[in-house]
Structures are given as structure tokens and as C-alpha cells.
Amino acid sequence: MDWLYTFIALIGSVIALGAIGVPVAFAFLLVNFGAAFLLMGGLAGVQQVVSNASSSISIFSLVPVPMFMLMGELFFRTGLAPRVFDALDKLLGRIPGRLSFLTVGGGTLFAALSGSSLANTAMMGSLLVPNMVARQYKPKMIMGPIMGAGALAVLIPPSGLTVLYGSLSNIDIGSLLIAGVGPGLLMAVLYCVVIILQMWFDPEAAPAYAEAREPLASRLWFAAQNVLPMGVVIFAVIGLILLGVATPTEASAFGALSVIGLAAVYRRLTINVVVKSLMGAMRSTSMLLLILLSSTTFAQVMAFSGASSQMVSFAMSFDLAPFTILIMMLLVLLILGMFMDQISMMMLTLPIYLPIANTLGFDMIWFGMMQLIVIELGMLTPPFGLLLFVMMGSAPAGTTFGSVVKSVVPYVVVQIIVVALIMFIPPIATGLPSLMR
């Protein structure tokens, strides 16, 4: 059982460093160098780790990460988002609870344009909360849809987290990106069902109000001017990959270029916007690449120590059904998500989970999509869900953390239901990648 002591020492050291405030990437680097020195022959082992580390981030498949980050930065800094919301709002007309439905529809669309759950949630909170409060919507109809729809950016491409997961796990990034479309859209539909049920049981949750009715032709024209052009961006990313015309790397470049083109058409492209967008994308990309470097090096140290292979053998020694092991792995992720950020969870679990999943013969696209959804759930679960804190920043005055958590519970349940559906109906996640191939 020597491998167990090594495993506990490596994982425990990372957790201990994180607990005293060391940033996760640097915590992994310190543990990597220490383990290499002790297990791989002193300074020679450290030099080997350093030489291997550079190759983990100097790969062409990671180019979509800065491109997707740039897309999101440009989209929000150019002010294209409010135009889309205004158009969707006019299009929905007098539908009861329309602002909640608008949140889900707009959040789903923005997920296909930005790729950042935090930015998605913050932007919708600042745009929609004041109007929904003025219309006397109850907190569950305001905050729940915003957080639920904001989290969709992890699934619906472009998603930087999905690219990072694919790079860490050596899964085809294009297939993994496309696989998120089905679960993401299914989740959005179920969110709308939640809103309908909430209004059914509590009609006062989203009071109706009088509003000047515009002619249908006028609303359609306004939507065509402000929503349809965004389809160019979606097609540039999702459509080109799905049709096999472009690789994820090429599609990410087309996506960034299409956002630049739209901003220029709407006369919102300025030098100041471009500089700020480039700086924001550079900061986010640098952080992700440092984390990726740390994580892949950690996996190499784990493999060299024998902890990875012995952990797989240990897990396989129990006479458990593959689905039981799968559920146990997802439950561990769900618990970790209550206390850790998404990238830290990936870095800790992937070196352990991937060998087990391969040994059990799981379809890696199917397995990866379930993992990504459960990792996304960590953004919505207390006590440290990031989107809960983002929502607190734009919530109505006097809102308590407990009410924020309570409002998101139905949307957490929806995500768990979607994971269960994917588990038993794999084509929800694997259908589009199979069609693409």
C-alpha cells in the first residue's frame, strides 16, 4: 500500500497549501517540484519535470482558449448584449412571466456567444434585475433563472472550460464542444418548465402588467436587426465544427473575427474596447495555461510514483458494477464542488478518474459531458458556489444568501436530472458528435 501513502501525501499537500491561501496553480507547482525532487532523483527529476511541462501547453489544440476568451471580452465590452436583450424582450410581447423566460432565452444565446458563466451571470444580473424588481417579480423568479441560465456557458460552445477539460483528458475537443449543445438546450427547456410550474403554483410570483403593444411586424424587424446577426457568430463556431468545415481552432478564430465584424457594423468597435478586450483575454488565458501546465505535470508525477496505476487496480478490485463506480465518482465531484472551484476539481480528479473510466470502457465523450455538468453544478451549490456570490452582487437590496440558495434549488435539480438522462440515454450527449463524424 505504499502507493496510498504517496497518493495521500500528494493530494494532502495540495489541499493544505490551498487552505493557507496559496493560489491553486502555484500549490500544484510546489507539490510537483517537491515530489519530483523526492521521487525522481533530486535535481535531475526537477529538470525533467520542467522540460516536460513546456510541451503540455505548446500544443496547437489550445489555440481556441484565447480566441474564445477574446470573443467573450469583445461581446460584453462592445455593448452588443443589451441590444439582444431588448430585441428578445419585444419579441416575447405579453407572455406571462416573460422576463424570466427572457432570462433563460437570452442566457442560452449568450452562452453560445461568450463562453463564460461568471460573465454571463453578472451581465444578466445587471441588465435584468432592476426591471424584474420594478415589475414585482419574486426572488425565485429573478435570481433562479439568471444563475441557471448563466451556468449554461460551461456546456454550450464556445466554452473555455470544455477546451481545458479536453486538453487535460486528451479527448477530441471538437466532439466535446459539440456534445454540450444537446444537454445545454435540454437544460434550457427544462428551466422553462420550472418557470411554468412556479407560476402555476404561485401566480403572483411574476405579476402581469400592462404594456404598449407594438405591431408584430415592428417587433420582428427589430429582432431581425439585433438577434439574427448574432447567428453569424454561433454558426462561425458551432456550425463550422458540426459541418466539418473547420477545426475547433479555426472555428474559434472565425468566431472572434465575426464578433469584431458585428461590433464594427454596429459602430461599437473602438481602440479602447479592443485594448481592454485583448488585456482581459490575455489575463484569463495566462491563468488557464499556468493551471494546465501545473495539472499535466501533477499527472506525470502521479504516474511516475505508481499512484495512478495502483489506484485503478484498487478501484477495480471491488466487485462493483461500472455504473456504481460512475455514480460514486460523480458524487465525489458534487461534494468537492461545494468547497472548490471548477478548475481545481478538474486538476485533482482527472488524473484519477480518466484511467478508471478508460479501464471500464466508458465512452469518453459521454463520461466527459456528465463530469462537466457536475463540475458546473459546483458553481451553484453552497457554501462556495461562485455564481451564488456573483448573484449576491447584483441581487435586490436586502437579499440574503439563504434566499439566493433557495431560488437556485430547482435549477440544481434540473441539472441532476439531465445528468441522469445522459447516463441512461447517451445519445443526448453523443448524438451530435456522432453526426459530425
Side-chain angles (χ1 to χ4, degrees), residues 266-300:
Y266 287 114
R267 298 183 179 180
R268 305 302 298 267
L269 191 66
T270 64
I271 295 297
N272 186 45
V273 163
V274 172
V275 170
K276 287 184 176 180
S277 298
L278 288 171
M279 291 295 291
M282 183 179 67
R283 282 193 295 267
S284 301
T285 302
S286 300
M287 179 194 69
L288 286 176
L289 290 180
L290 180 59
I291 289 171
L292 177 62
L293 182 148
S294 304
S295 177
T296 52
T297 307
F298 183 74
Q300 291 170 3

mmCIF file of all heavy atoms in Angstrom, residues 266-300:
data_model
loop_
_atom_site.group_PDB
_atom_site.id
_atom_site.type_symbol
_atom_site.label_atom_id
_atom_site.label_comp_id
_atom_site.label_asym_id
_atom_site.label_seq_id
_atom_site.Cartn_x
_atom_site.Cartn_y
_atom_site.Cartn_z
ATOM 1 N N TYR A 266 -22.059 47.689 -36.026
ATOM 2 C CA TYR A 266 -22.874 48.473 -35.097
ATOM 3 C C TYR A 266 -22.140 49.718 -34.577
ATOM 4 O O TYR A 266 -22.651 50.420 -33.706
ATOM 5 C CB TYR A 266 -23.292 47.602 -33.909
ATOM 6 C CG TYR A 266 -24.349 46.578 -34.235
ATOM 7 C CD1 TYR A 266 -24.073 45.216 -34.190
ATOM 8 C CD2 TYR A 266 -25.637 46.971 -34.578
ATOM 9 C CE1 TYR A 266 -25.038 44.270 -34.485
ATOM 10 C CE2 TYR A 266 -26.617 46.036 -34.877
ATOM 11 C CZ TYR A 266 -26.308 44.692 -34.819
ATOM 12 O OH TYR A 266 -27.282 43.758 -35.122
ATOM 13 N N ARG A 267 -20.933 49.972 -35.099
ATOM 14 C CA ARG A 267 -20.135 51.136 -34.739
ATOM 15 C C ARG A 267 -19.804 51.176 -33.249
ATOM 16 O O ARG A 267 -19.829 52.227 -32.607
ATOM 17 C CB ARG A 267 -20.853 52.420 -35.157
ATOM 18 C CG ARG A 267 -21.066 52.521 -36.655
ATOM 19 C CD ARG A 267 -21.707 53.823 -37.064
ATOM 20 N NE ARG A 267 -21.895 53.915 -38.497
ATOM 21 C CZ ARG A 267 -22.442 54.945 -39.121
ATOM 22 N NH1 ARG A 267 -22.856 56.006 -38.413
ATOM 23 N NH2 ARG A 267 -22.591 54.950 -40.424
ATOM 24 N N ARG A 268 -19.486 50.007 -32.703
ATOM 25 C CA ARG A 268 -19.125 49.909 -31.291
ATOM 26 C C ARG A 268 -17.673 49.473 -31.102
ATOM 27 O O ARG A 268 -17.233 49.237 -29.986
ATOM 28 C CB ARG A 268 -20.043 48.901 -30.572
ATOM 29 C CG ARG A 268 -21.530 49.184 -30.700
ATOM 30 C CD ARG A 268 -21.886 50.567 -30.173
ATOM 31 N NE ARG A 268 -21.586 50.721 -28.769
ATOM 32 C CZ ARG A 268 -22.465 50.488 -27.795
ATOM 33 N NH1 ARG A 268 -23.699 50.095 -28.094
ATOM 34 N NH2 ARG A 268 -22.122 50.663 -26.535
ATOM 35 N N LEU A 269 -16.938 49.377 -32.201
ATOM 36 C CA LEU A 269 -15.561 48.908 -32.137
ATOM 37 C C LEU A 269 -14.617 50.114 -32.057
ATOM 38 O O LEU A 269 -14.483 50.876 -33.012
ATOM 39 C CB LEU A 269 -15.229 48.058 -33.371
ATOM 40 C CG LEU A 269 -13.904 47.288 -33.321
ATOM 41 C CD1 LEU A 269 -13.961 46.221 -32.251
ATOM 42 C CD2 LEU A 269 -13.612 46.662 -34.686
ATOM 43 N N THR A 270 -13.969 50.266 -30.912
ATOM 44 C CA THR A 270 -13.033 51.367 -30.715
ATOM 45 C C THR A 270 -11.679 50.805 -30.268
ATOM 46 O O THR A 270 -11.586 49.659 -29.839
ATOM 47 C CB THR A 270 -13.546 52.346 -29.642
ATOM 48 O OG1 THR A 270 -13.606 51.657 -28.378
ATOM 49 C CG2 THR A 270 -14.931 52.876 -30.002
ATOM 50 N N ILE A 271 -10.656 51.633 -30.360
ATOM 51 C CA ILE A 271 -9.322 51.211 -29.922
ATOM 52 C C ILE A 271 -9.333 50.842 -28.440
ATOM 53 O O ILE A 271 -8.729 49.853 -28.018
ATOM 54 C CB ILE A 271 -8.297 52.338 -30.175
ATOM 55 C CG1 ILE A 271 -8.142 52.597 -31.685
ATOM 56 C CG2 ILE A 271 -6.944 51.961 -29.567
ATOM 57 C CD1 ILE A 271 -7.585 51.417 -32.455
ATOM 58 N N ASN A 272 -10.059 51.636 -27.646
ATOM 59 C CA ASN A 272 -10.129 51.375 -26.207
ATOM 60 C C ASN A 272 -10.761 50.012 -25.922
ATOM 61 O O ASN A 272 -10.285 49.241 -25.073
ATOM 62 C CB ASN A 272 -10.939 52.478 -25.528
ATOM 63 C CG ASN A 272 -10.921 52.356 -24.018
ATOM 64 O OD1 ASN A 272 -9.876 52.128 -23.414
ATOM 65 N ND2 ASN A 272 -12.082 52.487 -23.397
ATOM 66 N N VAL A 273 -11.842 49.689 -26.639
ATOM 67 C CA VAL A 273 -12.522 48.400 -26.468
ATOM 68 C C VAL A 273 -11.596 47.254 -26.859
ATOM 69 O O VAL A 273 -11.504 46.235 -26.161
ATOM 70 C CB VAL A 273 -13.818 48.362 -27.304
ATOM 71 C CG1 VAL A 273 -14.324 46.934 -27.480
ATOM 72 C CG2 VAL A 273 -14.892 49.214 -26.651
ATOM 73 N N VAL A 274 -10.909 47.400 -27.975
ATOM 74 C CA VAL A 274 -10.006 46.343 -28.447
ATOM 75 C C VAL A 274 -8.881 46.101 -27.448
ATOM 76 O O VAL A 274 -8.563 44.951 -27.104
ATOM 77 C CB VAL A 274 -9.432 46.708 -29.829
ATOM 78 C CG1 VAL A 274 -8.346 45.711 -30.237
ATOM 79 C CG2 VAL A 274 -10.542 46.727 -30.883
ATOM 80 N N VAL A 275 -8.280 47.183 -26.952
ATOM 81 C CA VAL A 275 -7.159 47.046 -25.997
ATOM 82 C C VAL A 275 -7.628 46.367 -24.715
ATOM 83 O O VAL A 275 -6.990 45.430 -24.210
ATOM 84 C CB VAL A 275 -6.548 48.428 -25.682
ATOM 85 C CG1 VAL A 275 -5.559 48.321 -24.523
ATOM 86 C CG2 VAL A 275 -5.855 48.988 -26.917
ATOM 87 N N LYS A 276 -8.769 46.819 -24.170
ATOM 88 C CA LYS A 276 -9.282 46.213 -22.930
ATOM 89 C C LYS A 276 -9.657 44.751 -23.140
ATOM 90 O O LYS A 276 -9.448 43.912 -22.254
ATOM 91 C CB LYS A 276 -10.488 47.006 -22.425
ATOM 92 C CG LYS A 276 -10.124 48.363 -21.826
ATOM 93 C CD LYS A 276 -11.343 49.052 -21.255
ATOM 94 C CE LYS A 276 -10.966 50.372 -20.575
ATOM 95 N NZ LYS A 276 -12.155 51.055 -20.006
ATOM 96 N N SER A 277 -10.221 44.433 -24.293
ATOM 97 C CA SER A 277 -10.599 43.050 -24.587
ATOM 98 C C SER A 277 -9.367 42.165 -24.693
ATOM 99 O O SER A 277 -9.352 41.039 -24.179
ATOM 100 C CB SER A 277 -11.408 42.987 -25.885
ATOM 101 O OG SER A 277 -12.608 43.712 -25.786
ATOM 102 N N LEU A 278 -8.335 42.662 -25.376
ATOM 103 C CA LEU A 278 -7.099 41.888 -25.505
ATOM 104 C C LEU A 278 -6.442 41.670 -24.149
ATOM 105 O O LEU A 278 -5.947 40.572 -23.855
ATOM 106 C CB LEU A 278 -6.136 42.599 -26.453
ATOM 107 C CG LEU A 278 -6.503 42.563 -27.944
ATOM 108 C CD1 LEU A 278 -5.580 43.480 -28.737
ATOM 109 C CD2 LEU A 278 -6.433 41.138 -28.489
ATOM 110 N N MET A 279 -6.442 42.699 -23.309
ATOM 111 C CA MET A 279 -5.841 42.566 -21.981
ATOM 112 C C MET A 279 -6.613 41.570 -21.128
ATOM 113 O O MET A 279 -6.034 40.731 -20.427
ATOM 114 C CB MET A 279 -5.802 43.930 -21.285
ATOM 115 C CG MET A 279 -4.837 44.926 -21.906
ATOM 116 S SD MET A 279 -3.107 44.399 -21.765
ATOM 117 C CE MET A 279 -2.866 44.548 -20.004
ATOM 118 N N GLY A 280 -7.945 41.646 -21.179
ATOM 119 C CA GLY A 280 -8.759 40.705 -20.408
ATOM 120 C C GLY A 280 -8.564 39.274 -20.871
ATOM 121 O O GLY A 280 -8.447 38.348 -20.048
ATOM 122 N N ALA A 281 -8.534 39.070 -22.198
ATOM 123 C CA ALA A 281 -8.330 37.730 -22.740
ATOM 124 C C ALA A 281 -6.947 37.202 -22.385
ATOM 125 O O ALA A 281 -6.769 36.012 -22.091
ATOM 126 C CB ALA A 281 -8.516 37.758 -24.258
ATOM 127 N N MET A 282 -5.937 38.098 -22.392
ATOM 128 C CA MET A 282 -4.581 37.679 -22.067
ATOM 129 C C MET A 282 -4.478 37.233 -20.607
ATOM 130 O O MET A 282 -3.844 36.209 -20.297
ATOM 131 C CB MET A 282 -3.598 38.825 -22.329
ATOM 132 C CG MET A 282 -2.147 38.450 -22.082
ATOM 133 S SD MET A 282 -1.006 39.813 -22.439
ATOM 134 C CE MET A 282 -1.465 40.965 -21.139
ATOM 135 N N ARG A 283 -5.112 37.973 -19.696
ATOM 136 C CA ARG A 283 -5.066 37.599 -18.279
ATOM 137 C C ARG A 283 -5.728 36.247 -18.048
ATOM 138 O O ARG A 283 -5.182 35.390 -17.349
ATOM 139 C CB ARG A 283 -5.759 38.681 -17.437
ATOM 140 C CG ARG A 283 -4.916 39.924 -17.201
ATOM 141 C CD ARG A 283 -5.530 40.786 -16.116
ATOM 142 N NE ARG A 283 -6.826 41.318 -16.545
ATOM 143 C CZ ARG A 283 -6.989 42.497 -17.124
ATOM 144 N NH1 ARG A 283 -5.933 43.266 -17.358
ATOM 145 N NH2 ARG A 283 -8.184 42.913 -17.473
ATOM 146 N N SER A 284 -6.904 36.053 -18.639
ATOM 147 C CA SER A 284 -7.629 34.792 -18.447
ATOM 148 C C SER A 284 -6.871 33.613 -19.056
ATOM 149 O O SER A 284 -6.774 32.543 -18.455
ATOM 150 C CB SER A 284 -9.023 34.891 -19.080
ATOM 151 O OG SER A 284 -9.769 35.943 -18.514
ATOM 152 N N THR A 285 -6.313 33.826 -20.239
ATOM 153 C CA THR A 285 -5.588 32.757 -20.913
ATOM 154 C C THR A 285 -4.323 32.378 -20.154
ATOM 155 O O THR A 285 -4.002 31.189 -20.008
ATOM 156 C CB THR A 285 -5.228 33.177 -22.347
ATOM 157 O OG1 THR A 285 -6.419 33.513 -23.055
ATOM 158 C CG2 THR A 285 -4.521 32.045 -23.081
ATOM 159 N N SER A 286 -3.608 33.380 -19.657
ATOM 160 C CA SER A 286 -2.382 33.106 -18.905
ATOM 161 C C SER A 286 -2.676 32.254 -17.676
ATOM 162 O O SER A 286 -1.952 31.307 -17.358
ATOM 163 C CB SER A 286 -1.719 34.417 -18.485
ATOM 164 O OG SER A 286 -1.381 35.188 -19.608
ATOM 165 N N MET A 287 -3.758 32.588 -16.990
ATOM 166 C CA MET A 287 -4.142 31.819 -15.808
ATOM 167 C C MET A 287 -4.457 30.372 -16.170
ATOM 168 O O MET A 287 -3.989 29.431 -15.522
ATOM 169 C CB MET A 287 -5.353 32.458 -15.138
ATOM 170 C CG MET A 287 -5.845 31.707 -13.906
ATOM 171 S SD MET A 287 -7.482 32.247 -13.370
ATOM 172 C CE MET A 287 -8.511 31.617 -14.709
ATOM 173 N N LEU A 288 -5.241 30.180 -17.230
ATOM 174 C CA LEU A 288 -5.632 28.825 -17.634
ATOM 175 C C LEU A 288 -4.419 28.008 -18.077
ATOM 176 O O LEU A 288 -4.322 26.810 -17.771
ATOM 177 C CB LEU A 288 -6.668 28.888 -18.750
ATOM 178 C CG LEU A 288 -8.080 29.303 -18.343
ATOM 179 C CD1 LEU A 288 -8.980 29.426 -19.571
ATOM 180 C CD2 LEU A 288 -8.679 28.300 -17.361
ATOM 181 N N LEU A 289 -3.505 28.630 -18.809
ATOM 182 C CA LEU A 289 -2.334 27.887 -19.275
ATOM 183 C C LEU A 289 -1.418 27.504 -18.109
ATOM 184 O O LEU A 289 -0.838 26.409 -18.105
ATOM 185 C CB LEU A 289 -1.560 28.723 -20.308
ATOM 186 C CG LEU A 289 -2.246 28.917 -21.658
ATOM 187 C CD1 LEU A 289 -1.380 29.760 -22.581
ATOM 188 C CD2 LEU A 289 -2.557 27.584 -22.321
ATOM 189 N N LEU A 290 -1.295 28.390 -17.125
ATOM 190 C CA LEU A 290 -0.490 28.045 -15.952
ATOM 191 C C LEU A 290 -1.115 26.882 -15.198
ATOM 192 O O LEU A 290 -0.414 25.969 -14.738
ATOM 193 C CB LEU A 290 -0.362 29.265 -15.044
ATOM 194 C CG LEU A 290 0.466 29.067 -13.761
ATOM 195 C CD1 LEU A 290 1.895 28.644 -14.105
ATOM 196 C CD2 LEU A 290 0.470 30.344 -12.927
ATOM 197 N N ILE A 291 -2.447 26.900 -15.088
ATOM 198 C CA ILE A 291 -3.147 25.809 -14.414
ATOM 199 C C ILE A 291 -2.989 24.513 -15.198
ATOM 200 O O ILE A 291 -2.772 23.438 -14.627
ATOM 201 C CB ILE A 291 -4.632 26.173 -14.236
ATOM 202 C CG1 ILE A 291 -4.761 27.277 -13.176
ATOM 203 C CG2 ILE A 291 -5.459 24.966 -13.847
ATOM 204 C CD1 ILE A 291 -6.136 27.868 -13.071
ATOM 205 N N LEU A 292 -3.088 24.597 -16.526
ATOM 206 C CA LEU A 292 -2.925 23.407 -17.358
ATOM 207 C C LEU A 292 -1.525 22.830 -17.212
ATOM 208 O O LEU A 292 -1.342 21.609 -17.082
ATOM 209 C CB LEU A 292 -3.193 23.774 -18.827
ATOM 210 C CG LEU A 292 -2.991 22.659 -19.852
ATOM 211 C CD1 LEU A 292 -3.943 21.504 -19.584
ATOM 212 C CD2 LEU A 292 -3.202 23.194 -21.267
ATOM 213 N N LEU A 293 -0.518 23.694 -17.216
ATOM 214 C CA LEU A 293 0.869 23.243 -17.042
ATOM 215 C C LEU A 293 1.027 22.523 -15.702
ATOM 216 O O LEU A 293 1.634 21.446 -15.623
ATOM 217 C CB LEU A 293 1.800 24.454 -17.123
ATOM 218 C CG LEU A 293 3.312 24.217 -17.017
ATOM 219 C CD1 LEU A 293 4.053 25.246 -17.848
ATOM 220 C CD2 LEU A 293 3.787 24.310 -15.569
ATOM 221 N N SER A 294 0.470 23.111 -14.653
ATOM 222 C CA SER A 294 0.589 22.515 -13.317
ATOM 223 C C SER A 294 -0.115 21.170 -13.259
ATOM 224 O O SER A 294 0.387 20.213 -12.658
ATOM 225 C CB SER A 294 -0.009 23.460 -12.273
ATOM 226 O OG SER A 294 0.594 24.720 -12.329
ATOM 227 N N SER A 295 -1.301 21.111 -13.874
ATOM 228 C CA SER A 295 -2.101 19.888 -13.792
ATOM 229 C C SER A 295 -1.457 18.729 -14.534
ATOM 230 O O SER A 295 -1.409 17.598 -14.033
ATOM 231 C CB SER A 295 -3.500 20.154 -14.349
ATOM 232 O OG SER A 295 -4.270 18.982 -14.343
ATOM 233 N N THR A 296 -0.971 18.970 -15.744
ATOM 234 C CA THR A 296 -0.375 17.880 -16.516
ATOM 235 C C THR A 296 0.909 17.384 -15.851
ATOM 236 O O THR A 296 1.197 16.183 -15.862
ATOM 237 C CB THR A 296 -0.068 18.341 -17.950
ATOM 238 O OG1 THR A 296 0.698 19.561 -17.913
ATOM 239 C CG2 THR A 296 -1.338 18.590 -18.727
ATOM 240 N N THR A 297 1.655 18.294 -15.255
ATOM 241 C CA THR A 297 2.859 17.889 -14.538
ATOM 242 C C THR A 297 2.497 17.043 -13.313
ATOM 243 O O THR A 297 3.160 16.047 -13.006
ATOM 244 C CB THR A 297 3.666 19.123 -14.092
ATOM 245 O OG1 THR A 297 3.912 19.961 -15.219
ATOM 246 C CG2 THR A 297 4.981 18.711 -13.477
ATOM 247 N N PHE A 298 1.423 17.432 -12.629
ATOM 248 C CA PHE A 298 0.954 16.657 -11.476
ATOM 249 C C PHE A 298 0.561 15.239 -11.900
ATOM 250 O O PHE A 298 0.869 14.258 -11.205
ATOM 251 C CB PHE A 298 -0.238 17.370 -10.839
ATOM 252 C CG PHE A 298 -0.770 16.715 -9.595
ATOM 253 C CD1 PHE A 298 -0.082 16.798 -8.400
ATOM 254 C CD2 PHE A 298 -1.977 16.024 -9.612
ATOM 255 C CE1 PHE A 298 -0.572 16.204 -7.251
ATOM 256 C CE2 PHE A 298 -2.474 15.423 -8.468
ATOM 257 C CZ PHE A 298 -1.771 15.520 -7.280
ATOM 258 N N ALA A 299 -0.108 15.132 -13.036
ATOM 259 C CA ALA A 299 -0.492 13.803 -13.537
ATOM 260 C C ALA A 299 0.744 12.961 -13.848
ATOM 261 O O ALA A 299 0.760 11.740 -13.607
ATOM 262 C CB ALA A 299 -1.364 13.956 -14.786
ATOM 263 N N GLN A 300 1.782 13.594 -14.397
ATOM 264 C CA GLN A 300 3.019 12.861 -14.705
ATOM 265 C C GLN A 300 3.699 12.359 -13.433
ATOM 266 O O GLN A 300 4.184 11.226 -13.376
ATOM 267 C CB GLN A 300 3.975 13.770 -15.489
ATOM 268 C CG GLN A 300 3.506 14.091 -16.897
ATOM 269 C CD GLN A 300 4.349 15.180 -17.547
ATOM 270 O OE1 GLN A 300 5.318 15.655 -16.973
ATOM 271 N NE2 GLN A 300 3.960 15.587 -18.753
#
